[in-house]
């Protein structure tokens, strides 16, 4: 499993805020993605966009409620198509399945297209420890792999790097010095990776969608590396979280309209590769073996949690990152695990453990923008508040209590994150205040706003749910987020 | 983890008493006859709107980065193809083996210009490795298409004998030849037709279905769009016009 650094959120955020180069990159990145997204939606028409979002939400909700049924259908269909399905309980098992496949087939070089699940697993390191060369072939992932970093953004893994940074990495790691222009850097990647793309023994891809009806996976990409990885090697291994299923082939028409528009403002990406199995004897090319590895790795905890289950609808478009005032200030690495931004703040704590990631649910100003942009209408602010309530009041599923700093950070977050100087001042004040009022490590009452608001109810023993609801509603209305939950479940055709 | 155990675990997480659906899902309950009817209606609509859709395709494809050639007949199409091939990075052409080449004798036309065309097909006795290296050395790949989607400006290729994916992927330039009969209006049409093909084809629709929508691109460095990172840098859509579409 990838290293978990979610405990470091506060100091890592601070460092990010103080890093001018990172701030410049963030300014460029978020805004660019978001304006492209808006253009694409405008062209489609707002009403049509809303229809598609609602339809997607319904499809996902239904599928998740019946995930056992659809995974079984998928399993049967992929098997019938001549593929092999493997189920992995966690990252370690998934790593073992893939290294076993590679070793038993004598694969020496593996080419990879983008897969966030493989980031959860730390797959490259796992393969390399077995003596198997694993090459990331998506340009952003390739840069990150060479620089030995983790992705900064789920769509643009290397958007925090300038072309000068990349130039340095290429000079040092692949012996291509002196490249200045972005075009030349991309060309160098094309040239360097071409042999591997053609010659690798095994290709590993992710999957954006799994169609249960036909046992087909859909891979949405722009560079063409994904198509190489899935067609050129003699073995194709697709790696995916268990939540990616949609029931019918026709459902893809909805999601293929939503994902590229929300992610990069494209009407459709350059390549959509749909794979249903290994090469048939009558077909010209393709892998002799096709394996689908379906990974849980903590997702069942989201699934059983009715308040958070909806987060499994995420199609990883990154729109909520691009719009989030916190992400746009602290960037992707500060979150300390694979998924940053509002979606990461919801799912990371469940996937790595709430105790490990207590600060993440507070990494939001609750401005509601993430919910507005989400193409599958995930109510992220509501989920963040659910996690906060569990941390602060210890409801039935709480796995840990918030510390004093966590909670103050929660309330003062928006102010703090918007101004680094205030942030550092507030931290100092916080510490001093804490010294003055803490008794035996417990704070009964804080004298000053905004801290008093928190302790006003905090020193009570057991707080009835309504009391948190009051805070909740007040917070939501103050921040201008729609308070009502999504309307009643729409009917399905 | 065993499949059955994994599925039981998911069912338990959901708190479901059985593996059954909690509520029916319309699209999956649809009878084959109903899919057929919808597909027939869609095909009829396509016939009616073909001229408009053909225009729409030309527009959307251009926006997605295709160089569109509206060829008023075979001769014009061939001339365009020869022109692309002669100005290519390497003057070597590979093509797939599809029926569109019966109409479009590209080998002869290119041969007359001194450009050799290799047909990428294992039925010709070449091995997988030979085909890979032929594709890797080519400057231009030429294919027909199975569908062209007016809504998105995409072409769609299906696995067939004689059609290798590398032809449209490895060379720096790809030429796709599209005829009006390959046109569909929307993604909905496309998936409906493929779904019908799946059920009519004994639950088999081939090992892949590939969309191509413009050239290969990336924005991974500083969000600047660069064309042609792993796939083709240049894509050409030769729309065989008039005779049939007009
Ligand atoms: S939560 Fe929604 S907006 Fe955020 S990445 Fe997932 S699908 Fe996109």
């Amino acid at each position: 499993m990838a290293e978990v650094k979610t405990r470091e959120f506060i100091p890592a955020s601070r460092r990010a805020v103080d890093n001018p180069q990172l701030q410049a990159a963030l300014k460029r990145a978020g805004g660019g993605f978001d304006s492209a997204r808006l253009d694409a939606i405008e062209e489609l028409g707002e009403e049509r966009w809303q229809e598609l979002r609602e339809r997607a939400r319904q499809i996902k909700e239904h599928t998740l409620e019946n995930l056992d049924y659809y995974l079984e259908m998928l399993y049967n269909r992929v098997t019938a198509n001549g593929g092999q399905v493997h189920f992995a309980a966690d990252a370690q098992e998934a790593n073992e399945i893939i290294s076993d496949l590679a070793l038993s087939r004598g694969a020496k070089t593996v080419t990879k297209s983008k897969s966030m699940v493989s980031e959860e697993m730390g797959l490259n390191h796992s393969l390399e420890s077995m003596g198997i060369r694993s090459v990331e072939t998506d340009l952003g992932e390739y840069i990150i792999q060479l620089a030995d970093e983790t992705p900064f953004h789920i769509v643009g893994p290397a958007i925090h790097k300038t072309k000068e940074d990349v130039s340095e990495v290429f000079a040092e790691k692949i012996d291509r010095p002196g490249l200045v222009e972005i075009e030349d850097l991309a060309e160098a990647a094309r040239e360097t990776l071409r042999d591997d793309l053609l010659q690798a023994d095994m290709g590993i891809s992710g999957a954006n969608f799994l169609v249960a009806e036909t046992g087909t996976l859909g891979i949405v990409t722009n560079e063409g590396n994904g198509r190489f990885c899935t067609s050129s090697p003699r073995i194709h291994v697709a790696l995916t979280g268990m939540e990616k299923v949609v029931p019918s082939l026709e459902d893809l028409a909805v999601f293929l309209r939503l994902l590229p528009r929300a992610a990069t403002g494209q009407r459709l990406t350059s390549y959509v590769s749909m794979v249903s199995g290994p090469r048939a004897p009558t077909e010209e090319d393709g892998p002799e073996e096709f394996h689908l590895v379906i990974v849980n790795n903590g997702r069942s905890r989201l699934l059983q949690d009715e308040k958070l289950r909806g987060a499994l609808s995420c199609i990883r478009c990154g729109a909520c990152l691009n719009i989030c005032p916190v992400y746009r200030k602290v960037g992707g690495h500060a979150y300390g695990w694979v998924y940053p931004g509002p979606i990461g703040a919801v799912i990371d704590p469940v996937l790595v453990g709430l105790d490990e990631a207590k600060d993440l649910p507070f990494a939001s100003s609750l401005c509601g923008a993430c919910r507005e942009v989400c193409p599958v209408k995930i109510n992220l602010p509501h989920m963040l508040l659910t996690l906060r309530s569990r941390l602060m009041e210890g409801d039935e599923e709480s796995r840990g209590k918030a510390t004093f700093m966590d909670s103050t950070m929660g309330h003062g977050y928006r102010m703090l994150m918007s101004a680094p100087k205030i942030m550092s001042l507030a931290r100092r004040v916080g510490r001093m205040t804490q010294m003055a009022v803490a008794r035996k490590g417990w704070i009964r009452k804080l004298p000053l706003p905004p801290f008093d608001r928190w302790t006003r109810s905090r020193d009570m023993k057991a707080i009835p749910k309504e009391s948190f609801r009051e805070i909740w509603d007040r917070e939501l209305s103050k921040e201008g987020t729609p308070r009502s939950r999504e309307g009643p479940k729409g009917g399905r055709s | 983890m065993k499949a059955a155990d994994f599925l039981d675990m998911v069912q338990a997480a959901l708190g479901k008493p059985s593996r059954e659906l909690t509520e029916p899902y319309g699209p999956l309950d649809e009878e084959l006859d109903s899919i057929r009817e919808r597909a027939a209606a869609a095909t009829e609509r396509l016939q009616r709107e073909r001229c408009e859709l053909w225009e729409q395709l030309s527009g959307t494809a251009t926006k997605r980065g295709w160089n569109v050639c509206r060829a008023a007949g075979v001769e014009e199409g061939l001339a365009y193809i020869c022109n692309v091939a002669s100005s290519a990075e390497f003057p070597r052409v590979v093509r797939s083996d599809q029926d569109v080449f019966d109409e479009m004798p590209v080998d002869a036309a290119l041969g007359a210009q001194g450009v050799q065309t290799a047909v990428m097909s294992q039925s010709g006795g070449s091995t997988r490795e030979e085909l890979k290296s032929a594709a890797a050395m080519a400057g231009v790949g030429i294919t027909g298409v199975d569908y062209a989607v007016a809504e998105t400006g995409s072409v769609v290729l299906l696995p067939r004998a004689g059609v290798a994916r590398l032809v449209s992927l490895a060379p720096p330039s790809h030429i796709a030849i599209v005829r009006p009969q390959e046109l569909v209006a929307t993604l909905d049409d496309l998936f409906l037709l493929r779904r019908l093909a799946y059920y009519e084809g004994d639950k088999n629709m081939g090992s892949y279905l590939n969309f191509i929508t413009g050239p290969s691109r990336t924005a991974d460095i500083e969000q600047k769009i660069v064309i042609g990172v792993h796939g083709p840098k240049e894509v050409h859509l030769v729309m065989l016009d008039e005779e049939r579409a007009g």
Side-chain angles (χ1 to χ4, degrees):
Chain A
M1 177 134 145
E3 198 184 345
V4 177
K5 295 188 211 150
T6 40
R7 282 178 187 273
E8 301 293 302
F9 179 73
I10 301 286
S13 302
R14 180 111 184 259
R15 283 196 301 275
V17 168
D18 288 341
N19 178 339
Q21 192 196 321
L22 201 68
Q23 291 305 311
L26 281 164
K27 225 179 204 148
R28 184 179 60 230
F33 278 133
D34 199 56
S35 65
R37 183 186 66 84
L38 288 170
D39 287 349
I41 294 170
E42 196 185 310
E43 190 199 61
L44 190 74
E46 177 68 19
E47 200 180 320
R48 180 97 177 90
W49 179 251
Q50 297 305 342
E51 265 171 44
L52 287 167
R53 286 178 81 207
E54 178 55 22
R55 181 79 196 122
R57 188 190 68 77
Q58 289 172 10
I59 294 170
K60 282 287 189 180
E61 186 178 275
H62 168 80
T63 315
L64 289 171
E65 274 170 15
N66 293 282
L67 192 60
D68 54 337
Y69 177 89
Y70 286 113
L71 279 173
E72 185 165 41
M73 183 185 280
L74 178 78
Y75 171 78
N76 290 331
R77 296 300 153 82
V78 172
T79 310
N81 294 345
Q84 272 187 57
V85 184
H86 309 256
F87 289 98
D90 53 24
Q92 192 191 335
E93 192 181 358
N95 277 325
E96 283 166 10
I97 291 169
I98 293 182
S99 14
D100 284 352
L101 280 171
L103 291 172
S104 62
R105 270 76 175 167
K108 298 199 171 56
T109 298
V110 166
T111 43
K112 271 197 72 237
S113 72
K114 204 154 170 275
S115 151
M116 293 309 289
V117 181
S118 76
E119 301 292 342
E120 292 177 36
M121 293 156 53
L123 175 62
N124 289 333
H125 288 299
S126 155
L127 284 171
E128 246 128 57
S129 74
M130 311 297 271
I132 300 155
R133 214 174 130 245
S134 176
V135 186
E136 292 286 353
T137 58
D138 169 86
L139 179 57
E141 293 284 349
Y142 183 55
I143 295 166
I144 292 303
Q145 185 183 31
L146 291 175
D148 200 16
E149 289 185 22
T150 55
F152 190 79
H153 187 283
I154 56 184
V155 172
I159 51 167
H160 60 300
K161 295 224 169 281
T162 61
K163 59 182 180 196
E164 290 78 17
D165 296 336
V166 179
S167 175
E168 225 167 87
V169 171
F170 279 17
E172 202 180 300
K173 299 289 166 87
I174 56 170
D175 198 22
R176 295 292 304 258
L179 300 170
V180 179
E181 298 305 325
I182 294 173
E183 288 77 4
D184 299 331
L185 292 163
E187 183 65 24
R190 180 188 175 99
E191 288 165 10
T192 311
L193 290 169
R194 181 53 72 96
D195 275 351
D196 284 330
L197 286 172
L198 285 168
Q199 304 305 336
D201 311 289
M202 182 187 266
I204 299 178
S205 74
N208 297 90
F209 306 105
L210 305 166
V211 181
E213 177 182 29
T214 55
T216 303
L217 52 112
I219 306 166
V220 177
T221 71
N222 269 312
E223 297 183 1
N225 60 312
R227 190 157 293 173
F228 271 108
C229 292
T230 58
S231 59
S232 191
R234 62 193 154 87
I235 307 150
H236 171 204
V237 180
L239 184 57
T240 163
M242 67 182 193
E243 75 281 17
K244 299 273 172 220
V245 194
V246 297
S248 166
L249 190 63
E250 290 184 69
D251 295 330
L252 285 185
V254 173
F255 290 98
L256 287 182
R257 288 185 181 111
L258 289 168
L259 176 57
R261 285 181 171 87
T264 51
Q266 288 177 281
R267 281 56 169 182
L268 196 60
T269 53
S270 297
Y271 305 102
V272 176
S273 301
M274 293 175 46
V275 176
S276 301
R279 169 194 175 189
T282 52
E283 294 171 3
E284 196 60 48
D285 68 347
E288 276 131 44
E289 288 182 49
F290 170 67
H291 299 266
L292 175 61
V293 183
I294 298 176
V295 183
N296 178 9
N297 207 29
R299 287 161 173 78
S300 52
R301 288 197 291 276
L302 282 165
L303 195 67
Q304 74 186 18
D305 190 327
E306 283 184 38
K307 288 184 178 150
L308 303 179
R309 181 183 295 162
L312 289 172
S313 307
C314 173
I315 55 174
R316 309 277 188 259
C317 72
C320 60
L321 280 58
N322 304 331
I323 200 85
C324 176
V326 177
Y327 179 90
R328 286 169 80 155
K329 208 68 202 160
V330 307
H333 288 157
Y335 290 80
W337 206 57
V338 179
Y339 303 101
I343 183 65
V346 170
I347 66 176
D348 291 355
V350 183
L351 296 180
V352 306
L354 194 50
D355 272 342
E356 277 297 317
K358 288 181 199 168
D359 291 318
L360 294 194
F362 297 93
S364 159
S365 65
L366 299 182
C367 68
C370 47
R371 182 184 170 191
E372 296 299 311
V373 298
C374 178
V376 288
K377 294 174 88 165
I378 301 174
N379 195 340
L380 292 161
H382 196 274
M383 293 176 187
L384 288 168
L385 281 168
T386 297
L387 288 168
R388 288 186 193 185
S389 89
R390 289 179 190 170
L391 279 162
M392 295 204 289
E393 307 196 1
D395 80 3
E396 73 278 9
E397 282 159 89
S398 166
R399 298 168 42 122
K401 282 197 172 171
T403 60
F404 164 72
M405 278 307 289
D406 295 328
S407 308
T408 38
M409 287 303 289
H411 288 294
Y413 216 90
R414 189 167 56 108
M415 179 183 78
L416 297 172
M417 296 320 287
S418 60
K421 287 218 180 77
I422 298 180
M423 183 171 169
S424 84
L425 179 69
R427 285 165 56 82
R428 258 177 293 155
V429 170
R431 250 185 239 114
M432 276 154 45
T433 323
Q434 185 177 4
M435 278 193 300
V437 296
R439 296 283 179 274
K440 290 179 186 166
W442 195 245
I443 299 141
R444 294 193 55 81
K445 193 150 175 66
L446 281 167
L448 296 167
F451 308 106
D452 62 342
R453 191 176 60 186
W454 183 76
T455 49
R456 209 181 292 151
S457 55
R458 190 62 191 85
D459 59 355
M460 287 186 239
K461 265 235 157 121
I463 293 145
K465 279 203 166 137
E466 278 68 24
S467 90
F468 188 76
R469 196 53 164 273
E470 281 166 25
I471 302 172
W472 185 315
D473 286 351
R474 191 172 64 233
E475 289 291 325
L476 280 173
S477 56
K478 190 181 71 193
E479 303 290 349
T481 302
R483 222 174 315 169
S484 60
R485 281 176 48 86
E486 297 291 270
K489 269 194 251 174
R492 281 179 201 94
S493 54
Chain B
M1 202 167 172
K2 285 210 187 88
D5 296 341
F6 193 95
L7 297 171
D8 285 347
M9 176 276 297
V10 174
Q11 185 186 318
L14 287 163
K16 283 175 64 187
S18 79
R19 195 60 51 78
E20 296 311 302
L21 283 181
T22 54
E23 56 183 334
Y25 189 70
L28 289 192
D29 289 336
E30 190 178 8
E31 300 285 336
L32 180 54
D33 275 346
S34 158
I35 301 179
R36 277 203 186 104
E37 269 167 41
R38 287 194 298 128
T43 311
E44 209 175 283
R45 179 170 38 75
L46 288 172
Q47 303 277 9
R48 265 201 321 273
E49 297 171 0
R50 190 164 270 176
C51 287
E52 293 86 340
L53 292 172
W54 195 241
E55 288 307 317
Q56 188 191 349
L57 174 67
S58 167
T60 50
T62 305
K63 280 196 196 146
R64 301 289 84 82
W66 294 92
N67 299 294
V68 173
C69 160
R70 302 287 297 267
V74 169
E75 289 310 317
E76 237 180 87
L78 288 173
Y80 182 86
I81 291 170
C82 287
N83 193 25
V84 171
S86 61
S87 56
E89 235 177 282
F90 333 104
R92 284 201 201 92
V93 174
V94 290
R95 70 162 172 89
S96 56
D97 190 4
Q98 283 163 293
D99 66 356
V100 68
F101 295 105
D102 299 341
E103 280 177 53
M104 293 275 282
V106 297
D107 302 2
L110 287 167
Q113 308 259 317
V115 179
Q116 284 291 319
T117 307
V119 181
M120 287 238 336
S121 157
Q122 297 192 33
S123 60
S126 321
T127 66
R128 190 188 179 95
E129 292 312 311
E130 285 166 351
L131 293 177
K132 274 187 192 174
S133 68
M137 311 268 282
V140 182
I142 311 177
T143 66
V145 308
D146 289 281
Y147 300 96
V149 187
E151 175 191 359
T152 55
S154 313
V155 302
V156 173
L157 283 151
L158 300 175
R160 298 179 188 282
V163 182
R165 279 165 275 196
L166 284 180
V167 178
S168 57
L169 185 61
S173 178
H174 170 217
I175 304 173
I177 307 169
V178 51
R179 296 169 292 182
Q181 67 260 37
E182 285 133 6
L183 195 59
V184 296
T186 61
L187 291 173
D188 304 279
D189 287 348
L190 176 82
F191 288 119
L192 170 60
L193 294 176
R194 290 321 294 160
R195 192 160 171 241
L196 178 63
Y198 176 75
Y199 288 109
E200 288 190 330
D202 205 16
K203 294 202 173 173
N204 181 359
M205 52 170 193
S207 71
Y208 68 87
L209 181 156
N210 278 347
F211 287 76
I212 301 171
T213 310
S216 155
R217 69 185 82 216
T218 184
D220 276 353
I221 304 175
E222 295 190 2
Q223 288 200 300
K224 180 167 181 223
I225 292 175
V226 176
I227 297 298
V229 61
H230 293 298
K233 301 171 184 184
E234 216 182 86
V235 291
H236 303 268
L237 193 66
V238 175
M239 295 175 65
L240 273 182
D241 256 350
E242 306 281 75
E243 304 168 320
R244 277 158 300 254

